[in-house]
């Protein structure tokens, strides 16, 4: 996957939304997640997602050097004391065959290593979700269960568990 995408150039940017990013985001949503919760997000909501953040955030762009510097993928990334947290990523749907989603994760692992950060957080993993199932395919994956990090183990073992937010008292959810 890394070799397949070696023509891409990583370009970290400050947390500022651009029209070019939004155009790629819209194409991605309309093609891959038209029925999702973000499908009706407008340019102002998109800008708020990127720009209104209480933590150090960067927009990592991936530009195709073989096609006149065209924007191929974007990842909204929070920079934490102990790692990188991938908030949301999107890419040109016509490049799906190049496994850009996986490439962005692999590149963030390399970026964390370059920065001396021990962790890369992939965000929420929802057991049984086809849209989030890819996260379970990465080795050394840990999940936060009952107040502690533990190895994921077999993803199918979590399919019957109730999500903690559906049963915990509100005081424990905050």
């Amino acid at each position: 996957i890394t070799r397949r995408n070696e023509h891409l150039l990583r370009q970290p940017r400050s947390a500022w939304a651009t029209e070019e990013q939004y155009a790629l985001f819209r194409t991605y949503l309309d093609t891959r997640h038209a029925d999702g919760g973000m499908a009706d997000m407008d340019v102002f909501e998109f800008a708020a997602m990127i720009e209104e953040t209480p933590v150090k955030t960067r927009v990592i762009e991936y530009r195709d050097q073989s096609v006149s510097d065209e924007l191929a993928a974007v990842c909204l990334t929070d920079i934490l004391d102990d790692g990188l947290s991938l908030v949301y990523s999107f890419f040109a749907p016509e490049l799906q065959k190049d496994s850009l989603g996986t490439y962005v994760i692999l590149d963030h692992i390399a970026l964390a290593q370059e920065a001396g950060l021990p962790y890369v957080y992939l965000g929420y993993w929802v057991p049984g979700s086809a849209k989030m199932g890819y996260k379970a395919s990465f080795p050394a994956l840990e999940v936060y269960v009952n107040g502690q990090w533990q190895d994921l183990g077999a993803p199918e073992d979590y399919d019957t568990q109730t999500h903690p937010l559906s049963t915990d008292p509100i005081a424990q959810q905050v």
Side-chain angles (χ1 to χ4, degrees):
I1 291 173
T2 301
R3 271 185 273 127
R4 191 180 315 146
N5 291 289
E6 63 188 10
H7 60 284
L8 297 179
L9 176 66
R10 175 200 319 140
Q11 294 184 323
R13 306 276 186 210
S14 47
W16 191 256
T18 67
E19 290 180 23
E20 183 183 28
Q21 292 164 0
Y22 181 69
L24 181 61
F25 175 75
R26 280 281 14 127
T27 301
Y28 175 81
L29 285 182
D30 293 344
T31 304
R32 295 183 49 109
H33 301 291
D35 60 344
M38 299 171 78
D40 61 349
M41 186 179 278
D42 65 25
V43 68
F44 300 106
E45 293 166 319
F46 175 77
M49 176 178 76
I50 291 177
E51 298 169 12
E52 295 175 16
T53 174
V55 297
K56 185 177 181 181
T57 300
R58 294 292 180 263
V59 176
I60 311 298
E61 294 183 345
Y62 295 88
R63 296 196 167 271
D64 190 338
Q65 300 301 287
S66 67
V67 185
S68 65
D69 208 35
E70 188 172 307
L71 187 62
V74 174
C75 186
L76 180 60
T77 306
D78 288 344
I79 302 168
L80 310 174
D81 291 338
D82 65 347
L84 301 176
S85 178
L86 284 68
V87 177
Y88 195 80
S89 62
F90 51 96
F91 55 85
E94 67 272 15
L95 301 176
Q96 180 177 351
K97 65 184 179 347
D98 294 335
S99 304
L100 281 182
T102 300
Y103 174 74
V104 166
I105 292 170
L106 294 173
D107 188 63
H108 273 69
I109 292 169
L111 185 58
Q113 289 171 336
E114 291 168 20
L117 299 171
Y119 299 105
V120 173
Y121 300 99
L122 299 182
Y124 289 109
W125 170 68
V126 178
S129 168
K131 292 181 180 178
M132 295 188 176
Y134 70 90
K135 296 176 183 187
S137 65
F138 287 88
L141 191 69
E142 294 180 339
V143 291
Y144 194 71
V145 178
N146 297 325
Q148 63 185 17
W149 289 100
Q150 62 187 35
D151 289 332
L152 174 65
E156 59 273 7
D157 291 346
Y158 295 88
D159 287 348
T160 59
Q161 289 186 4
T162 304
H163 189 282
L165 294 183
S166 67
T167 59
D168 286 347
I170 190 67
Q172 293 179 13
Q173 295 179 31
V174 179

